[in-house]
Amino acid sequence: MIPFREFVEQNSFIICAHRGASGIAPENTVAAVRLALESGAPMIEIDVQYTRDHQMVVFHDDTMERTTNGVGAINQKSLEEIQGLDAGSWFSPSFAGERIPKLVDVLELIRGRAYVNLEIKPRPDTEEAQKETLELIELLRSMSMLDTCLFSSFDHRAIRHVRALMPDLPMLALNVPGDTRSPDQVVADCGADVFGCSVEELNEDMMALCRQKGIPVAVYTVNTADELNYVVAMGVRGIVTNMSHIIVPAYEAL
Ligand code: G3P
Ligand code: CA
């Protein structure tokens, strides 16, 4: 695989499977990642969270209830405690027994087959959180994946911290709903390369400003052919989608 920055130069529009193929499999599981790879999505987005014993896992929510049979906050659980949970049945009985995967296992699955969009979930601004971010970077380095990934976050402090450590790493600042700053202010403030927002937040004025300032815009979550047509017409450079099995062929047919 060529480095992600080169891939971006060669491709005007990038489709990223959101939490894996989360429209047809339980989000952020190995099953969802496998189906996203099968869909031909060139990039896969996963959410990174930390357990009480500082293990990196792929999981979206702060708490277990919505997508597992467990209860409580993920950062209060050990890796061993969460590995016994069922992270698939909530989605469909056919996915019973899917687990909350360790980040390293998901990265191993994706490595060499797709680019990775690692969303760092908002963290407290502590030394411990900064140490864990360093460990994430070291993990990617040890797997030779630093040049095939993109970091993204709503937590712009985390982006600023990673930028200070890694001047060349591609980074996407997700707009915090209610933030009144313009996209150029947001990316300049934290050192991101890309501005991300929801499809609902997208508008002509924002796109005109980003075009003028040379800021690429990425949008979540684009799940239908109509939404795809809309964001392509608006000049968006990348999307995340729960439905990569539909959006990848729909884009190829445009
Ligand atoms: O990439 C954007 C998207 O993943 C952000 O929202 O809540 O799905 O993690 P969320
Ligand atoms: Ca996410």
Side-chain angles (χ1 to χ4, degrees):
M1 284 172 72
I2 59 173
F4 183 60
R5 282 196 185 280
E6 284 176 37
F7 183 78
V8 170
E9 279 166 24
Q10 292 176 17
N11 292 271
S12 57
F13 190 76
I14 294 169
I15 297 171
C16 179
H18 183 230
R19 312 180 196 172
S22 60
I24 52 172
E27 64 186 52
N28 284 324
T29 62
V30 165
V33 171
R34 282 192 204 287
L35 287 170
L37 290 167
E38 282 171 23
S39 76
M43 183 169 223
I44 298 177
E45 191 255 8
I46 50 176
D47 297 296
V48 181
Q49 297 262 23
Y50 294 80
T51 61
R52 188 183 71 223
D53 48 347
H54 312 291
Q55 301 298 306
M56 290 176 268
V57 292
V58 178
F59 195 71
H60 179 271
D61 293 2
D62 291 337
T63 54
M64 318 304 301
E65 285 82 350
R66 183 178 63 90
T67 60
T68 78
N69 58 345
V71 293
I74 187 154
N75 65 7
Q76 297 304 312
K77 306 274 179 203
S78 68
L79 179 65
E80 194 182 351
E81 283 165 350
I82 64 165
Q83 280 192 316
L85 298 176
D86 180 341
S89 291
W90 71 276
F91 188 85
S92 154
S94 60
F95 290 103
E98 281 296 321
R99 302 295 175 203
I100 298 173
K102 285 168 66 176
L103 176 63
V104 64
D105 293 338
V106 171
L107 291 176
E108 196 57 69
L109 185 59
I110 300 175
R111 178 159 65 165
R113 302 174 71 190
Y115 297 96
V116 190
N117 174 348
L118 286 159
E119 188 191 338
I120 308 174
K121 285 302 184 189
R123 319 284 321 283
D125 190 20
T126 60
E127 268 186 34
E128 188 175 274
Q130 296 198 350
K131 193 168 152 252
E132 287 172 346
T133 303
L134 260 180
E135 283 167 10
L136 172 55
I137 291 168
E138 284 315 311
L139 174 64
L140 292 162
R141 196 193 307 279
S142 72
M143 298 180 78
S144 302
M145 291 181 77
L146 275 173
D147 65 353
T148 57
C149 73
L150 165 80
F151 271 45
S152 62
S153 194
F154 289 101
D155 183 345
H156 299 173
R157 266 187 336 230
I159 291 187
R160 211 175 291 120
H161 176 57
V162 175
R163 174 57 76 229
L165 299 166
M166 305 293 296
D168 299 327
L169 199 66
M171 293 213 277
L172 188 165
L174 290 160
N175 189 49
V176 178
D179 190 338
T180 53
R181 295 174 302 163
S182 57
D184 56 317
Q185 290 172 324
V186 170
V187 297
D189 181 50
C190 63
D193 307 275
V194 186
F195 179 77
C197 67
S198 68
V199 69
E200 293 81 15
E201 289 169 312
L202 193 67
N203 63 60
E204 294 276 8
D205 289 348
M206 175 199 290
M207 289 308 297
L209 177 71
C210 289
R211 244 189 327 273
Q212 185 204 338
K213 302 276 183 183
I215 300 167
V217 177
V219 169
Y220 66 94
T221 309
V222 173
N223 290 329
T224 66
D226 283 351
E227 287 171 337
L228 175 68
N229 292 338
Y230 167 63
V231 298
V232 169
M234 289 285 270
V236 160
R237 284 298 309 278
I239 56 163
V240 292
T241 176
N242 300 342
M243 310 294 275
S244 55
H245 62 297
I246 290 173
I247 295 297
V248 169
Y251 181 70
E252 281 167 3
L254 285 182

